[in-house]
Amino acid sequence: MDRRRMPSYYNGAANDAGSAVEDFGGGRNNTAPNGDGFDNPFEDRYYGTTPRTMNSSGNANNAHFGGNTHPHAMASQNEKERLEDLAHKETSKVVTGGTGGEGNVDKGQHEHVEDLETTKSRRCWVALTWMLTCCIPTPALSLCGRMKRPDVRMAWREKFAICVIIVFLWFILLFVIIGLGLILCPKEYVWTLDDIAGHNTRKSSYVALRGTVYDITDFMKQKHGDSAYTATTDDFIAYYAGLDVNASFPIPARVACPQFVTQKDDPNYLFLYPVQGTVDVDPNDEIMFKHTINRDPTSKELQDINFYAKYALPVLDKFKKGGVVWKFSWVNSMYKDQSQYWRVINKEVFNLQPYFAAAKNDLNVNKKYNILDSRLETIMDQGGYGTADVTKDWDAINWDPQTRMANYNCMKNLFYVGDVDDRQSVRCLFTNYMLLAFACLLMLVVLVKFLTALQFGNKRRPVPPSKFVICQVPCYTEDDESLQKTINSLAGLEYEDNHKLMFIVCDGNIIGSGNDKPTPRIVLDTLGVDPEYDPPGRDYLAIAEGSRRHNIAKVYSGLYEYEGHVVPFMVAVKVGTPDEANRSGNRGKRDSQILLMSFLNK
């Protein structure tokens, strides 16, 4: 049956409306002359048993096919009145938004626009789109981008917003890979005693002094000391490079702890605690130079009781490299296994071995060397109980802030040797573990795919297929070359020709960029369909909203020959309703999929 839709600008109210409604009819199992059939979702709402065409005056005439006239010459008067009522009702339901269509509808025609309620998710997405593209003015898109229509501009903004979101996600990924690790574990310039020991040559000489690392490579090449004690470069390298030199710079207890050691206790600043790190440097060695107040009476600098803070540190700070760190496991082993007084408070390491060695000496008659608070001595000397970390015990001591600070400063000036090395802690290795987990997951996926792809045993020849398959090809604005390659590729598949069907859906009567004819015409010419053949339009319910749910498609079928293959094909062209002016028939790929599924469900 040949049914053509009448353009909306034709005159004649009753006949026009009746004929337009009749185009929706045809029953559920209507069959075209070529044998194809489509479900008609409007079968319960309209009568369309009489095929009609429209003449220029708007009158409905009977259609003839192959010389056969339809058994009903024309509809009765009652049928015509009923059709008019149904058409009027349907028109009142569909047409709710007036005319227009973004302001560029062809002259002499008008497109019905329906006002649909915008969903909440759509409103949120539009708001986000405008927020991400607010810096791009609309006039720039109209003038520079040549986007005159508001819907085209909005589509461009949405695509740009998606690109911005993708770039933002890239930055989040880079932050997780790079930035998160730096935040959780900031980069530290620290060295262990083993690291320092590796810098003991003339070209690279490091030393550790009271928890700080210094690069003395250039310093030792310069003149240093005074005329009486001028050190040579070789002696300096042989003795100091790569070592902990705390013993070379002893600090009088009266200077380090003025609250606990008074002038009466030490009038000549001779009260010293020999502090070392892990290297036992003999303070009495001939090469060893001790920077003490009585070492050189002719040196004005050494006669200053604040020699270390006033003269030594300002010079050494120019060569400072970083801090000294100790593995907690090693510090804890010194305390638990070696019975050494190595303790940790708030991740700071203190070597109190010289203090307790002097305090427990038999010569300490009047407890002269017990300068720290007795409560602090108690938590420092626990006889191997617990761990080397006494931070909780330190915080639990109930004393005033002045006393706490005085004891802390005394320990820091005399016995501080560095910090706990936490570079191997879970906090610092978290990002490494996370990246390793992702890598393992990817490797697992690759391994599973590899194992599933393995074929064990002898390779068997494929069994000839016995199932029917449908190869669906959605088309929109492709060019003739890509369509030709796709169709030939499907036709040349190593599959029984009589068991496969090429189902091609042309999503609208669209002319793609660079094409000189619509996409459906390119497909039909490729398949060899007669250009004069024009099948009837078939109504169906599309995946859309409002009046766009109604769509019309034309169906072509035949056989396609390619390199000895003869493959059946079926082409469904969405032509749209006469009311559509822009992208007529286009409903999207999802609608094309549903169209095929409805074909299979007949």
Side-chain angles (χ1 to χ4, degrees), residues 372-440:
L372 296 176
D373 191 285
S374 59
R375 291 169 292 183
L376 179 58
E377 290 183 354
T378 300
I379 66 173
M380 294 297 183
D381 185 13
Q382 294 180 336
Y385 170 76
T387 65
D389 192 346
V390 292
T391 302
K392 293 183 179 179
D393 297 329
W394 163 267
D395 295 335
I397 297 178
N398 186 19
W399 50 15
D400 58 275
Q402 293 79 9
T403 304
R404 181 187 295 271
M405 187 57 63
N407 281 268
Y408 172 77
N409 290 335
C410 182
M411 285 194 306
K412 188 70 178 284
N413 293 332
L414 290 178
F415 310 112
Y416 173 75
V417 292
D419 297 326
V420 174
D421 188 3
D422 58 355
R423 291 175 296 177
Q424 301 300 319
S425 63
V426 176
R427 175 173 58 88
C428 290
L429 297 179
F430 171 75
T431 53
N432 293 342
Y433 293 149
M434 182 178 61
L435 294 178
L436 180 61
F438 287 155
C440 292

Side-chain angles (χ1 to χ4, degrees), residues 322-356:
V324 179
V325 291
W326 308 83
K327 292 183 179 180
F328 179 78
S329 58
W330 186 91
V331 175
N332 199 48
S333 176
M334 291 292 290
Y335 168 68
K336 301 283 288 185
D337 302 331
Q338 304 296 328
S339 300
Q340 298 289 316
Y341 292 91
W342 284 70
R343 307 300 259 168
V344 176
I345 297 177
N346 293 324
K347 295 186 177 181
E348 293 182 332
V349 181
F350 299 92
N351 179 12
L352 289 130
Q353 183 62 29
Y355 177 84
F356 284 100

Side-chain angles (χ1 to χ4, degrees), residues 191-327:
W191 283 263
T192 64
L193 260 290
D194 293 334
D195 299 332
I196 298 171
H199 296 270
N200 59 351
T201 63
R202 184 184 299 272
K203 295 182 179 180
S204 179
S205 301
Y206 285 12
V207 295
L209 176 60
R210 298 189 178 277
T212 306
V213 180
Y214 300 97
D215 182 1
I216 60 172
T217 305
D218 297 330
F219 170 77
M220 68 183 183
K221 298 176 183 177
Q222 310 300 320
K223 289 185 177 181
H224 46 271
D226 52 34
S227 59
Y229 299 96
T230 302
T232 63
T233 303
D234 293 339
D235 293 338
F236 218 88
I237 292 177
Y239 202 83
Y240 287 100
L243 301 179
D244 185 326
V245 295
N246 287 339
S248 180
F249 293 88
I251 301 177
R254 180 179 169 184
V255 176
C257 309
Q259 296 91 342
F260 304 134
V261 181
T262 63
Q263 182 179 3
K264 179 181 178 180
D265 298 327
D266 185 20
N268 298 321
Y269 295 93
L270 300 178
F271 185 3
L272 304 172
Y273 288 100
V275 180
Q276 296 91 22
T278 57
V279 181
D280 294 330
V281 178
D282 186 3
N284 299 319
D285 194 290
E286 294 182 358
I287 302 178
M288 178 67 182
F289 185 87
K290 296 181 63 176
H291 299 77
T292 58
I293 193 171
N294 59 347
R295 181 71 179 187
D296 182 12
T298 64
S299 175
K300 181 183 68 174
E301 290 83 0
L302 286 177
Q303 294 302 313
D304 194 330
I305 60 174
N306 293 314
F307 168 79
Y308 178 74
K310 190 175 181 180
Y311 297 102
L313 283 183
V315 175
L316 291 174
D317 282 345
K318 300 176 184 178
F319 306 96
K320 183 178 179 181
K321 298 296 292 183
V324 179
V325 291
W326 308 83
K327 292 183 179 180

